[in-house]
Amino acid sequence: MAISKIPSAGFQDNVKFRNLIINGGMDIAQRGTSFAAVNDDDYTLDRFKYDISGTDVYQFTISQDTDVPTGQGFAKSMKFDCTTADTSLDADNYAIIHTRIEGQNLQYLKKGTSNAESTTISFWVKTNKTGTYIVELQDEDNNRVICKSYTVSSSSTWEKKTITFAGDTTGAFDNDNASSLRVNFWLVAGTAFTSGTLATDWESRTNANRAVGQVNLGDNTANEWYVTGVQLEAGTASDFEFLPVDMNLRRCQRYYYRTVTLRDGGGNANIFGG
């Protein structure tokens, strides 16, 4: 007698590792859940790093938060809270949150060939600072970028954004474990990054073309910006790829592994991975 397959209500049948972003649901935070006075090049939640110029004039506290879009399956988000404001940016001021992807994980995009694949990023964002924001793909191997704008229309309301980037027929990614692609979310940009024409097609990196139109999230201490559900994949957008927490943690531990030391009654140290 033939046995009928019972339809699965879980996520396991859908796991194909489509998402190039690790920890896009902001669930893993091994280093801590709140980061005040964050410095340039500091990590925050796992796989997300902060870049800043002008720490003397504006600053954010970055934290893991439970404010998430309702009914979408997310439990955590990453929150930026402006704690020191600057309404008059210097030309070279900027603030970016970014994540990096190894070149050996990008080979199927066929970058640098006539068959280069397009990619689509999707994410949920919420902020009281409405207006234009920039998300950028930065090819670190060939010093090339492509930038797209998105608009936050409703204050303090979760909105889903879906943005497609053309494939790049110039410059292949190195096939190694070094960082080849950065995904940059711009939050602050001085005129050195906004005075040109936005690089909506792949081009050699010119700073003036990278963040044209970007609002200044750092102009008021009331400003907040949340993001979750970040997914970058080849082709068109699909539903967010939820992974089991243990699998997500192990993927993060490839880059950072926290250990704790416990001592028994005799004062002997035991190391446990965490």
Side-chain angles (χ1 to χ4, degrees):
M1 181 178 67
I3 299 176
S4 300
K5 181 180 178 180
I6 300 175
S8 173
F11 51 77
Q12 293 181 351
D13 288 347
N14 296 320
V15 172
K16 299 176 182 177
F17 296 100
R18 300 181 306 273
N19 192 0
L20 288 162
I21 306 296
I22 297 174
N23 199 33
M26 310 300 168
D27 296 298
I28 309 301
Q30 296 184 82
R31 295 172 179 84
T33 57
S34 184
F35 307 86
V38 187
N39 294 315
D40 181 45
D41 212 33
D42 277 358
Y43 275 104
T44 57
L45 308 190
D46 278 63
R47 302 306 304 135
F48 285 87
K49 206 170 190 179
Y50 187 51
D51 297 323
I52 188 172
S53 170
T55 56
D56 56 326
V57 290
Y58 60 86
Q59 188 56 267
F60 296 96
T61 292
I62 305 171
S63 59
Q64 187 184 56
D65 204 88
T66 56
D67 189 337
V68 294
T70 302
Q72 301 300 321
F74 300 107
K76 299 293 174 61
S77 63
M78 179 164 52
K79 175 185 178 182
F80 283 71
D81 180 18
C82 182
T83 56
T84 305
D86 181 20
T87 59
S88 181
L89 297 173
D90 292 339
D92 62 351
N93 286 166
Y94 63 83
I96 296 170
I97 188 72
H98 81 265
T99 187
R100 296 180 177 182
I101 305 169
E102 296 177 36
Q104 61 190 4
N105 292 334
L106 298 166
Q107 296 304 303
Y108 69 92
L109 296 181
K110 303 184 282 290
K111 190 175 182 296
T113 76
S114 59
N115 295 320
E117 297 279 354
S118 64
T119 53
T120 298
I121 191 167
S122 53
F123 55 94
W124 288 86
V125 63
K126 173 183 174 180
T127 177
N128 63 305
K129 180 72 174 181
T130 59
T132 299
Y133 290 78
I134 304 298
V135 59
E136 173 186 46
L137 301 187
Q138 180 181 348
D139 172 0
E140 297 188 278
D141 294 326
N142 302 285
N143 199 30
R144 292 172 63 77
V145 300
I146 186 171
C147 311
K148 297 285 187 177
S149 64
Y150 64 95
T151 301
V152 175
S153 303
S154 301
S155 177
S156 301
T157 302
W158 281 104
E159 299 177 3
K160 186 176 182 180
K161 306 300 177 182
T162 301
I163 301 166
T164 297
F165 300 89
D168 188 11
T169 58
T170 299
F173 290 127
D174 296 341
N175 187 23
D176 56 27
N177 64 357
S179 174
S180 288
L181 183 66
R182 281 178 42 148
V183 180
N184 297 323
F185 289 91
W186 287 79
L187 304 174
V188 172
T191 56
F193 306 96
T194 63
S195 59
T197 302
L198 190 65
T200 55
D201 294 310
W202 282 101
E203 63 176 49
S204 296
R205 187 179 70 178
T206 299
N207 279 341
N209 298 341
R210 298 177 64 191
V212 179
Q214 171 67 43
V215 301
N216 178 12
L217 188 69
D219 67 1
N220 193 309
T221 55
N223 291 346
E224 298 175 338
W225 185 87
Y226 300 78
V227 67
T228 193
V230 183
Q231 180 151 299
L232 179 69
E233 58 196 303
T236 58
S238 60
D239 291 342
F240 186 79
E241 187 174 61
F242 289 96
L243 299 179
V245 172
D246 56 345
M247 182 183 294
N248 200 12
L249 175 61
R250 287 186 178 275
R251 298 186 81 197
C252 291
Q253 287 174 336
R254 173 176 170 79
Y255 305 94
Y256 176 81
Y257 187 84
R258 183 182 180 186
T259 62
V260 295
T261 302
L262 303 179
R263 294 188 178 274
D264 61 23
N268 299 309
N270 297 285
I271 306 299
F272 295 89

